Amino acid sequence: MRILNSFALAAGLGLSTVAGFATSAMAEDVKIGFIVKQPEEPWFQDEWKFADQAGAEKGFEVVKIGATDGEQLMAAIDNLAAQGAKGFIVCAPDVNLGPAIVARAEAAGLKLMTVDDRLVDASGAEIESVVHMGISARKIGETVGEALSAEIKARGWNPAEVGALKISYDQLPTAVDRTGGAVDALLAAGFPEANIFDAPQTRTDTEAALNAATVVLNQNPQVKYWIAFGLNDEAVLGAVRAAESVGIKATDVIGVGIGGAASAINEFEKPDATGFFGTVVISPKRHGYETAMNMYEWVTNGVEPAKLTLTSGALARRDDYKQVLADLGVN
Ligand code: FCA
């Protein structure tokens, strides 16, 4: 399946490159931008892969740009306009750039859709006029919390002896919703609120999460067992690596992430289980393929996509992740 996809992808790109020199405005000339905030993160690479798959099927070109700050993002929008793109999909490095992004896209005559992270206005309210595909963040967070509670129980741990590492990134609303959902589910299952430790990360990568978690672990040597949750797999991997680095046994840690891309899979494929117990798999196919298709239909046939689409997730663990990924059509 993988080989077939990359073949189709290569063929599609070849086609659009050749067609780029033609003068007629055929489907092959259509260019759509796909800008992501963290191009090195496997989740975003998967989104790009599936967007390319849509492009290969329909014969349009996906211009993939990484923009890790506002300046790069504005330059990317201008660059897309200069290349003759018709619209773009973006996961912005900072959702507070919302009004600036909307204005720039409008000025450049580009249709705009957001993915994963929803833009907010100056008052912090979601900009509902921009087409968005995100995840059902609170619900997925609850699934994380339920999985953690179930595993605490399965291991026979006394909750009073368990600390929870909440890797937080409160400047991003979807992160607040995800960790909030996890906390709600933990509390509903009787987890002691006083045992939840906030570990704010400065960026949304593994290293920043590791640094945040290390501080909390060092401050709380009395805690016997740890659970960990956060915005994504990278956050939880950071917490798991931090626990390892301070000498906590893998069997004394339960981390449940969100994502299910290569960062999680690599962990499941290690011969010995680590503290990374599970992940709620979300669909880069829907977020990449479907958003690209929607944008294509919009710019070519004038079909405006639904204003808001929220996708769901499914828990995967070391012992069943292959099946879960297959069911979601992700692998
Ligand atoms: C956010 C996170 C990503 C991914 C995505 C769906 O953008 O930063 O890791 O979880 O939502």
Side-chain angles (χ1 to χ4, degrees), residues 46-80:
D46 283 352
E47 279 186 341
W48 274 348
K49 180 181 85 179
F50 286 114
D52 271 337
Q53 196 178 306
E57 273 175 33
K58 292 281 183 185
F60 62 88
E61 184 180 347
V62 179
V63 182
K64 300 178 285 295
I65 306 175
T68 56
D69 62 30
E71 213 172 304
Q72 288 179 11
L73 176 53
M74 294 306 154
I77 298 172
D78 293 346
N79 179 296
L80 286 169

Side-chain angles (χ1 to χ4, degrees), residues 6 13 33 35 77 83 86 99 107 118 153 181 196 221 234 248 272 280 301 309-310 313:
S6 24
L13 284 180
I35 307 173
I77 298 172
Q83 289 192 47
K86 302 266 188 276
R118 201 171 193 192
K153 217 168 164 192
I196 301 177
E234 281 67 22
I248 299 171
D272 296 318
V280 179
N301 298 323
T309 307
L310 296 179

Side-chain angles (χ1 to χ4, degrees), residues 37 41 43-44 91 116-117 135 172 174 178 204 231-232 234 282:
K37 64 177 180 179
E41 189 183 310
W43 164 261
F44 294 109
C91 178
D116 304 337
D117 300 351
I135 65 168
L172 181 60
T174 186
R178 296 177 200 186
T204 59
L231 162 73
N232 55 16
E234 281 67 22
I282 50 180

Side-chain angles (χ1 to χ4, degrees), residues 186-233:
L186 283 166
L187 297 180
F191 192 85
E193 188 162 16
N195 291 10
I196 301 177
F197 299 91
D198 194 35
Q201 56 179 173
T202 51
R203 297 182 316 275
T204 59
D205 59 16
T206 303
E207 192 192 345
L210 185 151
N211 293 336
T214 303
V215 173
V216 172
L217 293 173
N218 284 335
Q219 280 170 350
N220 295 281
Q222 78 288 357
V223 172
K224 191 166 174 193
Y225 305 112
W226 285 99
I227 60 171
F229 58 95
L231 162 73
N232 55 16
D233 289 334

Side-chain angles (χ1 to χ4, degrees), residues 8 27 30-34 47-62 86-89 111 113 115 131 133 284-306 309:
V30 174
K31 276 188 194 178
I32 289 169
F34 204 120
E47 279 186 341
W48 274 348
K49 180 181 85 179
F50 286 114
D52 271 337
Q53 196 178 306
E57 273 175 33
K58 292 281 183 185
F60 62 88
E61 184 180 347
V62 179
K86 302 266 188 276
F88 67 99
I89 297 147
K111 295 212 184 316
M113 280 172 60
V115 71
V131 174
M133 182 184 286
K285 178 155 191 187
R286 294 205 59 193
H287 288 232
Y289 180 93
E290 207 171 302
T291 52
M293 278 297 187
N294 288 346
M295 179 56 85
Y296 175 75
E297 285 299 324
W298 196 8
V299 299
T300 54
N301 298 323
V303 186
E304 185 176 343
T309 307

